[in-house]
Amino acid sequence: AQRVTQPEKLLSVFKGAPVELKCNYSYSGSPELFWYVQYSRQRLQLLLRHISRESIKGFTADLNKGETSFHLKKPFAQEEDSAMYYCALTGHGGATNKLIFGTGTLLAVQP
Amino acid sequence: NAGVMQNPRHLVRRRGQEARLRCSPMKGHSHVYWYRQLPEEGLKFMVYLQKENIIDESGMPKERFSAEFPKEGPSILRIQQVVRGDSAAYFCASSNGQGANWGYTFGSGTRLTVV
């Protein structure tokens, strides 16, 4: 079954502390993995995708096929990072490219 | 570029009424996706449409729900005879056909409340 699991509903850290948002997936094939972010009162937007191997706003995510994980990390959290984060996957090719989302993790960065 | 426009932002309906949710994709995008987010859950795929065609409706409930994307005008998600369990946030996303691999653009969503 295709599934994305984000085990933490809420992650609270202090400003300057490291952040790791966990994401595990189940997919029979080679998925494409993404992180989406939703800031307060804003629309859902793409943060980063694993195929780009990019770092956005200091966040990085490494795809670990052995552990089927795609954890999102940032070495020093900022207050403006407070938001809802969703991990998502889609399959290679196919006619649909629909996204399968996790339930999200609310990151709260305390001053 | 106004992005993906959804309206209304909030919709309240009594049980048994019809709900119509509209989505205008980004300029140049001809592919539309609808997702539903129930309370405490992640976004769940409902339907994928191109102009005048439903490509994948595997996530749509079998009854009361329908979607269209006419040649002219916005995409419409229609829910007939709404029930309390339909209360959710409904999100639309559009793409230029490259699909999720190159990133969707999401709308702000419509929050449907059934009373």
Side-chain angles (χ1 to χ4, degrees):
Chain A
Q2 303 168 9
R3 188 182 300 122
V4 175
T5 303
Q6 293 181 251
E8 302 143 326
K9 274 191 159 181
L10 170 66
L11 182 63
S12 183
V13 301
F14 286 104
K15 178 181 171 182
V19 170
E20 182 178 69
L21 298 168
K22 291 185 168 49
C23 172
N24 288 89
Y25 66 90
S26 171
Y27 188 81
S28 54
S30 296
E32 301 286 352
L33 274 296
F34 306 83
W35 278 97
Y36 279 79
V37 60
Q38 188 172 29
Y39 299 101
S40 179
R41 301 183 189 283
Q42 294 187 29
R43 62 189 65 194
L44 198 64
Q45 54 187 288
L46 179 65
L47 179 63
L48 57 80
R49 48 187 179 233
H50 93 270
I51 56 173
S52 302
R53 297 185 175 276
E54 56 205 343
S55 172
I56 304 293
K57 299 184 180 183
F59 284 98
T60 59
D62 290 318
L63 179 61
N64 186 322
K65 292 185 178 179
E67 296 182 0
T68 59
S69 68
F70 188 56
H71 304 326
L72 184 68
K73 299 177 184 178
K74 184 169 182 176
F76 308 103
Q78 303 298 316
E79 288 181 69
E80 55 266 29
D81 295 329
S82 296
M84 196 73 181
Y85 290 81
Y86 294 95
C87 183
L89 71 76
T90 186
H92 265 294
T96 302
N97 281 331
K98 61 189 178 190
L99 286 167
I100 297 168
F101 283 89
T103 50
T105 297
L106 178 62
L107 174 64
V109 181
Q110 312 294 336
Chain B
N1 193 334
V4 178
M5 303 301 293
Q6 288 189 251
N7 65 81
R9 288 294 299 273
H10 300 274
L11 182 61
V12 179
R13 283 288 176 265
R14 295 186 184 279
R15 279 177 294 169
Q17 289 185 319
E18 179 180 284
R20 279 183 179 243
L21 288 63
R22 295 176 191 77
C23 169
S24 296
M26 273 188 70
K27 188 176 180 181
H29 286 186
S30 59
H31 299 247
V32 165
Y33 302 75
W34 285 94
Y35 286 79
R36 176 167 66 172
Q37 185 175 31
L38 295 168
E40 306 293 319
E41 294 187 17
L43 282 76
K44 294 258 188 327
F45 169 79
M46 298 181 77
V47 62
Y48 163 42
L49 310 103
Q50 294 180 23
K51 284 286 185 181
E52 299 185 276
N53 286 304
I54 296 174
I55 306 302
D56 181 350
E57 56 182 347
S58 57
M60 288 279 268
K62 293 288 184 281
E63 297 175 349
R64 302 188 296 108
F65 284 72
S66 62
E68 61 177 12
F69 189 16
K71 189 176 179 181
E72 301 291 338
S75 175
I76 306 286
L77 180 66
R78 183 180 176 209
I79 311 172
Q80 294 178 291
Q81 299 176 316
V82 295
V83 300
R84 288 240 170 93
D86 297 332
S87 295
Y90 292 82
F91 292 93
C92 169
S94 73
S95 78
N96 60 4
Q98 297 290 338
N101 292 352
W102 300 97
Y104 292 159
T105 301
F106 277 91
S108 298
T110 292
R111 296 196 179 278
L112 172 65
T113 302
V114 179
V115 297

